Every structure is written in structure tokens, then in C-alpha cells.
Amino acid sequence: GIQVEQSPPDLILQEGANSTLRCNFSDSVNNLQWFHQNPWGQLINLFYIPSGTKQNGRLSATTVATERYSLLYISSSQTTDSGVYFCAVEGDDKIIFGKGTRLHILP
Amino acid sequence: DAEITQSPRHKITETGRQVTLACHQTWNHNNMFWYRQDLGHGLRLIHYSYGVQDTNKGEVSDGYSVSRSNTEDLPLTLESAASSQTSVYFCASSESGGKLFFGSGTQLSVL
């Protein structure tokens, strides 16, 4: 089946810093989504991005489907950005998640 | 507003008991999914459904079952609860090829 790998597994940054999270996948996929799990456990859909680039405030995402990766950019980090970021791909008739990147923003 | 609701939020049960976790969505989505989340494993797919009377096994389906009798509900049943099934369970729904939306999760402890 499709393998999804995220890097780095953990990231600690000072408030105001920028960061780039990566998601690699092993096969062609129909779509890709990014999620943020906040410290209370809620999973929020950030982007639905099968290809191209999208922006939402300080967050943006780029998916290069032909090279099988996606990047999530967070600019001017805030403490509320802390949590775990997951990417998920749809392929093989199901949605598969990576293991996530745990981001901790220090005040 | 449309939403996806899981109940109960917390559940403690004993080994060997049957347990059912509820999931109800008002998005009118065809696709519904159950995941479990464990430290070090991320979110793993248990079962999923692409419509009424349709159910499919995910990567960790042993010991779990689902049924889809209407569009809104996909209950997850643990036939005989085991300590290895202590986890946080998330239900999700989407339209075909669309964005995935999650419920708030159920924390299940099997003692």
C-alpha cells in the first residue's frame, strides 16, 4: 500500500520563526490534505491540496504530485500553532495518514 | 451548522465486554471513516464506508466491526474488548474526493 512519511518528527521553534514541514508519499494519489491537531486533541483540516499552492493567512502549502511530496509552510509562528501536523493522502481507495510532525512554539 | 458528533467522549470498560462507539454526521456525506490514534503510530484506519450498506476493512480491523444502515451513522463495535484496544478513536466523514472532517474523538480505556 501507499506509504506516507513526514519530516521532521519533532520541531521546537521560538515564536516568530518560520518553518517548513514535509510530506513524502510512495505512489500516485488522488488528493492530499494537511491537518493540525491542537493540544486538546481536535483535528482541523488546514488544506485540501492535490496539486499546486494554496495560502491561508500565515500558512501555505505546496504539493508537487509528479515528485510525490507536499510542503506546509508556517510563517511568523505563534504559540497557538503548537500541536501535531498530519498529512493524509487518498489512494488505494482509502485515506492514509503520516505519523505527523510535532511542533512546539516557545513564547 | 453541519457537524460530526462522537459519543461517548470517554469510556471505561472491562476486558471481554462488547462496546459500541457512536458516530453521527449531519454533512450528508457518503464517506465515513474510523481511525484509532496511538502514540508513535499516528492515525490508523480501522474501517470505512462509502455509502449505505457498504463497509470495508482498514489496516487495523481485527476485533472491530461497523455497519452502515443510513447515511448519517457509522457505529464502531468492539466485539470483545482487549487491553490493546485502549486508544483514542476518531470518526471522520467526507464527500467523495472531498475534504475530510473529524469528530472530537472518544477516549476508550479497557481495563
Side-chain angles (χ1 to χ4, degrees), chain A residues 90-96, chain B residues 30-35 45-51 53-59 61 65-68 74 76 92 100:
Chain A
E90 181 175 350
D92 292 342
D93 202 33
K94 55 180 76 83
I95 299 177
I96 302 298
Chain B
N30 284 327
N31 302 345
M32 295 185 73
F33 307 84
W34 274 104
Y35 291 88
L45 184 62
I46 306 171
H47 281 286
Y48 58 104
S49 168
Y50 286 156
Q53 302 301 330
D54 175 73
T55 60
N56 305 280
K57 294 181 179 180
E59 58 182 313
S61 61
S65 64
V66 294
S67 62
R68 187 90 181 269
L74 187 70
L76 177 71
L100 192 65

Side-chain angles (χ1 to χ4, degrees), chain A residues 31 33 35 37 41-43 45 48 86 90 92-99 102, chain B residues 33 35 37 39-43 45 48 50 57 59 90 97-100 102 104:
Chain A
N31 65 64
Q33 304 181 59
F35 296 84
Q37 186 170 37
Q42 277 190 302
L43 283 154
N45 194 309
Y48 175 93
F86 292 100
E90 181 175 350
D92 292 342
D93 202 33
K94 55 180 76 83
I95 299 177
I96 302 298
F97 281 74
K99 292 187 177 182
R102 183 171 297 276
Chain B
F33 307 84
Y35 291 88
Q37 185 174 30
L39 202 61
H41 291 280
L43 287 148
L45 184 62
Y48 58 104
Y50 286 156
K57 294 181 179 180
E59 58 182 313
F90 286 98
K99 291 181 69 171
L100 192 65
F102 279 90
S104 298

Side-chain angles (χ1 to χ4, degrees), chain A residues 11 13 16-21 34-36 46-47 56-61 71-78 80-85 101 103 105:
Chain A
L11 190 57
L13 296 172
N18 302 327
S19 58
T20 300
L21 282 57
W34 283 97
F35 296 84
H36 175 218
L46 298 175
F47 292 103
N56 184 0
R58 296 181 295 102
L59 275 61
S60 65
L71 302 174
L72 178 68
Y73 306 96
I74 305 174
S75 64
S76 304
S77 298
Q78 301 176 358
T80 51
D81 295 330
S82 295
V84 183
Y85 290 81
T101 292
L103 178 64
I105 304 299

Side-chain angles (χ1 to χ4, degrees), chain B residues 15-111:
Chain B
T15 301
R17 290 189 179 270
Q18 184 181 79
V19 177
T20 297
L21 308 183
C23 177
H24 179 81
Q25 54 101 0
T26 59
W27 292 96
N28 201 33
H29 286 159
N30 284 327
N31 302 345
M32 295 185 73
F33 307 84
W34 274 104
Y35 291 88
R36 61 176 289 175
Q37 185 174 30
D38 306 286
L39 202 61
H41 291 280
L43 287 148
R44 293 183 291 175
L45 184 62
I46 306 171
H47 281 286
Y48 58 104
S49 168
Y50 286 156
V52 176
Q53 302 301 330
D54 175 73
T55 60
N56 305 280
K57 294 181 179 180
E59 58 182 313
V60 290
S61 61
D62 287 349
Y64 303 95
S65 64
V66 294
S67 62
R68 187 90 181 269
S69 59
N70 58 50
T71 300
E72 296 80 16
D73 299 288
L74 187 70
L76 177 71
T77 297
L78 287 68
E79 303 294 344
S80 177
S83 57
S84 60
Q85 294 176 308
T86 291
S87 186
V88 180
Y89 292 85
F90 286 98
C91 181
S93 72
S94 74
E95 198 42 78
S96 295
K99 291 181 69 171
L100 192 65
F101 296 93
F102 279 90
S104 298
T106 294
Q107 172 73 59
L108 176 67
S109 297
V110 183
L111 305 179

Side-chain angles (χ1 to χ4, degrees), chain A residues 12-63:
Chain A
I12 301 174
L13 296 172
Q14 207 69 39
E15 195 168 28
N18 302 327
S19 58
T20 300
L21 282 57
R22 187 176 181 101
C23 174
N24 292 333
F25 43 97
S26 61
D27 207 342
S28 299
V29 298
N30 298 324
N31 65 64
L32 184 143
Q33 304 181 59
W34 283 97
F35 296 84
H36 175 218
Q37 186 170 37
N38 64 27
W40 296 270
Q42 277 190 302
L43 283 154
I44 307 299
N45 194 309
L46 298 175
F47 292 103
Y48 175 93
I49 185 165
S51 64
T53 297
K54 290 187 177 180
Q55 181 149 10
N56 184 0
R58 296 181 295 102
L59 275 61
S60 65
T62 295
T63 297

